[in-house]
Amino acid sequence: MNKREFAKIYRKLSPYDATIETVLTDVDILLETLREAMQIEGEVKFIRRGSFEVISRKPRVISNPATRERLEIHPKKTVKFKLSKIVKVD
């Protein structure tokens, strides 16, 4: 799902009538706030929904399948989402 599809669903569920541009602005604000909170705390929890967490991936050595050359992948930080056990997924 991309941001525009997410905004369309948000627009359907919203109690007020808004244009798609207004909804996209709201989604941008939400994503920016989420990013800043994760930079400060490293984790953001939504009660009964799930949590976002910043994890550090270790450096590793891989092999190029075509040339068999060994390459090192540098360490990096990624975001992990863990869904709450309460939420039902159909």
Side-chain angles (χ1 to χ4, degrees):
M1 173 182 294
N2 61 25
K3 187 167 56 171
R4 185 169 284 281
E5 292 170 350
F6 180 76
K8 286 179 183 178
I9 292 172
Y10 174 72
R11 184 177 175 198
K12 285 181 189 176
L13 297 175
S14 175
Y16 62 93
D17 188 28
T19 64
I20 194 71
E21 291 80 20
T22 306
V23 173
L24 282 172
T25 304
D26 291 346
V27 170
D28 285 336
I29 291 170
L30 170 73
L31 293 175
E32 184 63 27
T33 305
L34 186 63
R35 185 184 67 80
E36 289 176 7
M38 290 182 66
Q39 283 181 339
I40 295 169
E41 295 293 326
E43 183 177 34
V44 176
K45 291 184 180 181
F46 294 103
I47 305 299
R48 296 190 180 107
R49 298 291 184 251
S51 62
F52 289 95
E53 181 181 3
V54 176
I55 59 171
S56 297
R57 298 188 66 174
K58 296 179 182 178
R60 57 193 174 116
V61 177
I62 63 165
S63 162
N64 183 343
T67 63
R68 302 286 184 208
E69 179 184 0
R70 312 260 312 154
L71 303 169
E72 182 178 346
I73 296 179
H74 300 289
K76 64 179 179 178
K77 292 185 178 185
T78 60
V79 176
K80 178 181 176 183
F81 178 74
K82 184 176 180 182
L83 187 64
S84 175
K85 293 178 182 177
I86 298 172
V87 177
K88 289 184 179 180
V89 179
D90 294 334

